[in-house]
Amino acid sequence: MVKFLIGLATGVALVFLSVILLIVVALRFRESAPVIASNSVLVLRLSGELPEKPPVELPSFMGDDHAPLTVIGVWSALEKAAADGRIKAVVLQPEGLSAGWAKLEELRLDIDKFKKSGKPVFAYLRQPGTREYYVASGADRIYLGPSEPVMVKGLRAEMMYFKKTLDKIGVSMEIEHAGKYKDFGDMFTRSDMSPETREVMTSVVDELYANLVAGIGAGRGKSPDEVRAIIDQGPFTAPQALQAGLVDALRFEDQMWGELKERIKAEPSRVSMDKYSRITAESVGLAGKSHIAVIVGEGDIVRGNPGDDGAGEGSLTSYGFNKLLRGVENDSLVKGVVVRIDSPGGEVTASDEIWRQMNLLSKKKPVVVSMSDAAASGGYFMAMTGDAIVAYPATLTGSIGVVFGKPNLHGLYDKLGITKDAIERGKNAGIDSDYTPLSPSERTQLKEGIDESYRDFVTKVADARHRKFEEIEPLAQGRVWLGSQAKSRGLVDEIGGLDKAIEMVKQKAKIPAGERVSLMIYPGRRSLLDLIMKKSQEDMLEAKIAAVLGRMPFHAWMRGGYLRTMPYWFEVR
């Protein structure tokens, strides 16, 4: 009887799920291209992260009215809006942005490009911080609520350290690395920055601050010295921001829309990004006969499993990403490829596998690498094909080094009354035990492997960059560079964003510079069915933990072994 009831309940659940999926599919097929009225204004609400991979696509009745935007999605929408005669202006509404500085630089490039159409860009700000203001400073006019504070006050980079906490609970970390800047695990073994970390972080913050000042100055028509003097007065009340020239007017939002109405001489019809994203490039005359593939590699690098398709959140798996690379390699329709990387690195073996497939693709198709917020360690390693590399001034680049880390939980086990006893055969059988520290023999063995992997990394960079080992090695040492610093040291070829990468791959593919191209984005958008069928419990758990810890390469850390990963993760606010 019990088995019968279980079977009945299972059957009912499956039928219910099937009905829901059929409804979703039916609604999906019923969707048609939206009708865009004349005198429309594209409203670009920017908040939270700005991912590279397309999000799961849900029907509107399931809450997809505000689906996450992607970098390429915003780029595409603004390009279409510039050519679309029905779109008369753009309104930016950035709030609570947490995207990295390189992605914010792409937004500024996109806004500047749209403004060349002659159409106005208005920005309306609510409690803006430095990120939101930096994006808005590219607008023609900036509006602020009469009582909104402006939290523009410079940049700060903080790093968190857990050594004293681990000492309290009896946990220590065993770390080995190649490269004096590869301070992997410092957050667990120190209580403050090492001299090497402080050197790099000072360099990074100085460069980011200079870029911020230059960007605000260009947008607001002020000199760098004027911008620095203004920032030193922050944060601001709304009247203070107006007096300092940070904003153009203090208005409520309806008043801003009234002024925009006067500017375009018509009653504006507001169009959301979600709606406008369904407008095709063909409908506004932007389609091209040649096809360029844009393959997105985002997240920390792990091997994954054979069933991966490259669309999963939170990680860049060699199984899934290589499937995407092979698919594009064998597609005769694709004339050139832009590989878009946003990764702090990860497992050595997984990054090796991706590097191999990237080189195979490079032999078949013209390739250009476009780096986003981070292309560091394994994320940089995978790009070593000898093809041109484009980075933003703020892209975290390089970190050429290898590390190994494991926890020693013996002290914690003692506090909990847990003991372990083992029988070992083999001199280094306990090298990955969490109950014992590394023995001198184990440490020597690890160091030899790490050094060998490090030499291989530097050699591959030297070969790809057409330099000598001796020229690259001083630039390696695990050091993180910003894109602007990497460019002057020959680690990247050009400074720019998506437009620059597409321009360069067109040239390599012998596509005329003035000819339009059609972009094919990989991976494509995922449906509700993909989410239900492919989202494993493990992925969900790791995604939740990663959401708490930020963009640290948590997936790779969980798997251990040799890692090509950034020595630390930090956020500059």
Side-chain angles (χ1 to χ4, degrees):
M1 184 66 179
V2 174
K3 291 183 177 179
F4 171 75
L5 291 175
I6 292 174
L8 179 63
T10 302
V12 171
L14 288 173
V15 170
F16 179 75
L17 180 60
S18 299
V19 170
I20 292 294
L21 291 177
L22 286 173
I23 292 173
V24 170
V25 171
L27 289 172
R28 179 67 178 159
F29 276 105
R30 286 178 57 190
E31 286 185 3
S32 56
V35 176
I36 305 298
S38 58
N39 301 315
S40 288
V41 174
L42 179 62
V43 180
L44 186 53
R45 292 189 174 91
L46 299 164
S47 64
E49 289 280 355
L50 193 62
E52 297 285 347
K53 289 182 183 177
V56 174
E57 198 169 71
L58 301 176
S60 59
F61 72 86
M62 296 187 69
D64 199 35
D65 288 333
H66 300 290
L69 304 177
T70 65
V71 175
I72 295 177
V74 173
W75 174 87
S76 175
L78 288 176
E79 184 181 50
K80 289 183 292 187
D84 192 340
R86 299 165 296 183
I87 300 294
K88 303 301 181 183
V90 165
V91 169
L92 301 174
Q93 294 184 329
E95 185 174 4
L97 272 171
S98 57
W101 289 97
K103 290 176 181 174
L104 300 184
E105 288 172 340
E106 176 63 48
L107 288 176
R108 281 293 302 269
L109 291 172
D110 298 342
I111 293 166
D112 290 344
K113 180 182 175 184
F114 175 84
K115 286 165 61 178
K116 292 178 181 178
S117 67
K119 302 175 184 181
V121 177
F122 281 19
Y124 192 83
L125 297 175
R126 292 182 173 85
Q127 297 189 21
T130 307
R131 279 182 168 87
E132 293 78 16
Y133 185 77
Y134 173 73
V135 173
S137 66
D140 296 296
R141 286 184 64 79
I142 302 177
Y143 291 84
L144 181 72
S147 60
E148 299 280 3
V150 177
M151 301 302 289
V152 173
K153 49 186 174 53
L155 298 180
R156 182 183 77 255
E158 290 183 343
M159 301 182 71
M160 191 175 292
Y161 295 87
F162 302 97
K163 183 182 185 303
K164 293 181 179 180
T165 301
L166 297 181
D167 288 344
K168 291 178 184 291
I169 62 175
V171 174
S172 62
M173 289 292 293
E174 300 279 342
I175 306 291
E176 284 294 332
H177 58 86
K180 68 178 182 178
Y181 294 102
K182 202 71 170 181
D183 297 336
F184 175 83
D186 268 17
M187 67 177 67
F188 304 119
T189 60
R190 295 180 58 95
S191 55
D192 60 358
M193 295 183 195
S194 68
E196 292 80 9
T197 298
R198 189 170 296 279
E199 176 190 347
V200 173
M201 292 304 300
T202 299
S203 172
V204 166
V205 174
D206 285 346
E207 192 81 8
L208 288 177
Y209 189 60
N211 293 344
L212 171 68
V213 168
I216 293 175
R220 301 302 294 170
K222 297 181 182 297
S223 71
D225 287 342
E226 288 176 314
V227 174
R228 290 190 183 93
I230 290 171
I231 291 175
D232 285 343
Q233 300 170 30
F236 305 85
T237 64
Q240 289 171 341
L242 179 63
Q243 184 177 5
L246 291 176
V247 300
D248 295 292
L250 303 183
R251 300 283 191 272
F252 290 102
E253 187 178 349
D254 65 292
Q255 293 174 307
M256 181 272 292
W257 281 102
E259 294 190 17
L260 182 57
K261 175 182 176 180
E262 294 178 7
R263 178 70 174 268
I264 66 174
K265 296 180 173 55
E267 183 68 40
S269 177
R270 306 180 195 185
V271 180
S272 70
M273 271 290 296
D274 300 295
K275 181 177 181 180
Y276 196 70
S277 65
R278 303 204 306 271
I279 294 293
T280 64
E282 290 85 352
S283 67
V284 294
L286 291 180
K289 61 181 181 180
S290 297
H291 291 76
I292 299 295
V294 179
I295 309 177
V296 175
E298 181 177 32
D300 50 298
I301 299 171
V302 294
R303 180 168 285 177
N305 62 73
D308 291 340
D309 59 4
E313 297 176 25
S315 62
L316 196 175
T317 70
S318 56
Y319 277 114
F321 193 68
N322 284 352
K323 284 181 183 177
L324 297 178
L325 294 175
R326 286 193 293 269
V328 169
E329 177 187 333
N330 297 320
D331 189 341
S332 60
L333 193 63
V334 174
K335 303 302 181 187
V337 183
V338 173
V339 179
R340 179 83 172 171
I341 300 174
D342 188 16
S343 173
E347 296 174 357
V348 164
T349 53
S351 54
D352 270 346
E353 290 170 353
I354 294 175
W355 172 85
R356 168 63 175 167
Q357 195 61 50
M358 286 276 290
N359 277 270
L360 293 176
L361 172 65
S362 180
K363 293 176 180 177
K364 294 284 190 69
K365 306 278 187 182
V367 173
V368 169
V369 175
S370 172
M371 295 177 168
S372 182
D373 276 336
S377 210
Y380 185 71
F381 180 91
M382 63 183 277
M384 294 299 101
T385 61
D387 294 303
I389 298 174
V390 183
Y392 299 95
T395 299
L396 298 174
T397 310
S399 188
I400 302 165
V402 182
V403 298
F404 171 90
K406 76 160 188 173
N408 178 4
L409 306 180
H410 196 134
L412 176 61
Y413 289 149
D414 286 345
K415 293 177 184 294
L416 298 175
I418 299 171
T419 60
K420 285 188 175 185
D421 202 0
I423 297 173
E424 298 180 356
R425 297 293 182 270
K427 188 177 181 180
N428 300 318
I431 198 168
D432 55 355
S433 170
D434 67 355
Y435 197 63
T436 59
L438 291 171
S439 69
S441 171
E442 291 167 347
R443 196 174 293 277
T444 298
Q445 188 70 21
L446 274 176
K447 188 66 174 147
E448 289 177 358
I450 289 170
D451 288 345
E452 181 179 308
S453 184
Y454 175 69
R455 288 192 296 272
D456 176 65
F457 196 164
V458 176
T459 298
K460 284 184 168 60
V461 174
D463 290 344
R465 303 304 300 164
H466 310 294
R467 307 272 292 280
K468 295 179 180 179
F469 183 98
E470 294 75 18
E471 294 177 294
I472 293 296
E473 208 278 331
L475 305 175
Q477 296 289 327
R479 176 160 183 162
V480 177
W481 304 96
L482 289 180
S484 52
Q485 299 167 331
K487 169 68 166 61
S488 65
R489 289 163 175 81
L491 296 178
V492 303
D493 297 287
E494 297 288 346
I495 295 297
L498 287 166
D499 282 315
K500 186 66 177 178
I502 292 169
E503 171 194 324
M504 291 171 67
V505 81
K506 285 172 63 178
Q507 185 176 2
K508 289 187 69 173
K510 295 181 172 52
I511 299 172
E515 182 180 315
R516 297 193 183 279
V517 295
S518 293
L519 298 188
M520 304 166 67
I521 312 300
Y522 298 87
R525 288 186 175 270
R526 291 174 294 154
S527 67
L528 177 64
L529 180 61
D530 295 323
L531 178 68
I532 294 172
M533 300 300 291
K534 294 183 179 179
K535 191 72 170 177
S536 69
Q537 292 298 318
E538 182 182 12
D539 287 340
M540 293 176 69
L541 173 63
E542 292 184 357
K544 290 181 183 296
I545 296 173
V548 174
L549 295 180
R551 293 198 56 190
M552 292 190 294
F554 187 76
H555 294 70
W557 287 13
M558 288 182 70
R559 289 161 172 80
Y562 293 163
L563 299 177
R564 293 195 187 103
T565 186
M566 283 180 57
Y568 35 73
W569 190 259
F570 57 91
E571 186 174 3
V572 180
R573 293 182 176 273

